[in-house]
């Protein structure tokens, strides 16, 4: 999955267009209601990810469950989050090293984790007691 495929998927799935807050190739994907980021698509130097060689690579930063992050980072294509909280976010290379289905599943998780909080009604609170 590359950056254009991510943008097409997010547009179809969540009705979200990329936002370019820094006037470069780096984009964020935001919830339409609370404007929180659920993803950032960034162009990063290879050495910043601990990779050898020169040049740049596209990554997507996604919010993730902390317990899942540890196991993901042992797999090819996953890195500690670039410029984000490394306990709650993960960077995934968009170079084909991670299967598209995994990226889609992690996009969904990030979307859920960053979404608007649901208000609890008084009836729901009573049922929990």
């Amino acid at each position: 999955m590359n950056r254009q495929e991510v943008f097409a998927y997010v547009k179809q799935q969540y009705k979200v267009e990329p936002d370019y807050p820094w006037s470069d190739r780096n984009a964020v994907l935001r919830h339409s209601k609370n404007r929180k980021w659920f993803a950032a698509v960034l162009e990063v130097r290879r050495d910043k990810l601990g990779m050898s060689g020169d040049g740049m690579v596209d990554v997507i930063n996604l919010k993730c469950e902390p317990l899942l992050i540890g196991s993901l980072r042992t797999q090819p294509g996953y890195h500690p989050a670039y410029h984000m909280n490394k306990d709650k976010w993960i960077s995934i290379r968009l170079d084909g090293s991670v299967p598209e289905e995994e990226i889609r599943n992690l996009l969904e998780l990030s979307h859920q984790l960053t979404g608007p909080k649901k208000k609890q009604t008084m009836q729901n609170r009573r049922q929990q007691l």
Side-chain angles (χ1 to χ4, degrees):
M1 189 170 226
N2 63 36
R3 78 173 34 232
Q4 293 309 317
E5 291 168 333
V6 167
F7 295 153
Y9 174 75
V10 167
K11 182 177 182 178
Q12 181 265 325
Q13 185 72 18
Y14 306 110
K15 312 295 186 256
V16 170
E17 296 277 351
D19 178 13
Y20 295 89
W22 303 290
S23 302
D24 58 14
R25 288 193 73 227
N26 298 316
V28 295
L29 301 170
R30 304 175 190 263
H31 288 272
S32 55
K33 292 191 179 184
N34 67 5
R35 304 297 295 155
K36 285 187 178 180
W37 299 6
F38 64 91
V41 178
L42 309 168
E43 185 178 56
V44 180
R45 284 190 358 226
R46 295 173 63 84
D47 65 323
K48 295 289 184 187
L49 298 173
M51 299 172 66
S52 61
D54 294 327
M56 308 291 272
V57 64
D58 284 335
V59 299
I60 185 168
N61 281 356
L62 298 172
K63 191 161 189 179
C64 192
E65 295 287 349
L67 291 174
L68 186 56
I69 288 174
S71 63
L72 289 175
R73 288 185 2 195
T74 66
Q75 298 178 39
Y78 291 93
H79 300 273
Y82 179 74
H83 270 298
M84 301 290 268
N85 180 326
K86 291 169 182 26
D87 294 329
K88 297 182 180 180
W89 290 77
I90 192 158
S91 289
I92 305 168
R93 287 198 321 265
L94 297 176
D95 62 358
S97 59
V98 175
E100 185 173 324
E101 190 63 28
E102 283 183 38
I103 295 172
R104 287 181 180 198
N105 289 339
L106 291 167
L107 258 165
E108 177 61 29
L109 176 61
S110 184
H111 191 264
Q112 289 173 8
L113 291 172
T114 57
K117 304 297 181 221
K118 293 181 180 162
K119 292 183 180 176
Q120 210 175 32
T121 65
M122 189 58 103
Q123 183 178 0
N124 287 347
R125 288 184 199 151
R126 285 187 193 130
Q127 289 174 351
Q128 288 179 348
L129 298 175

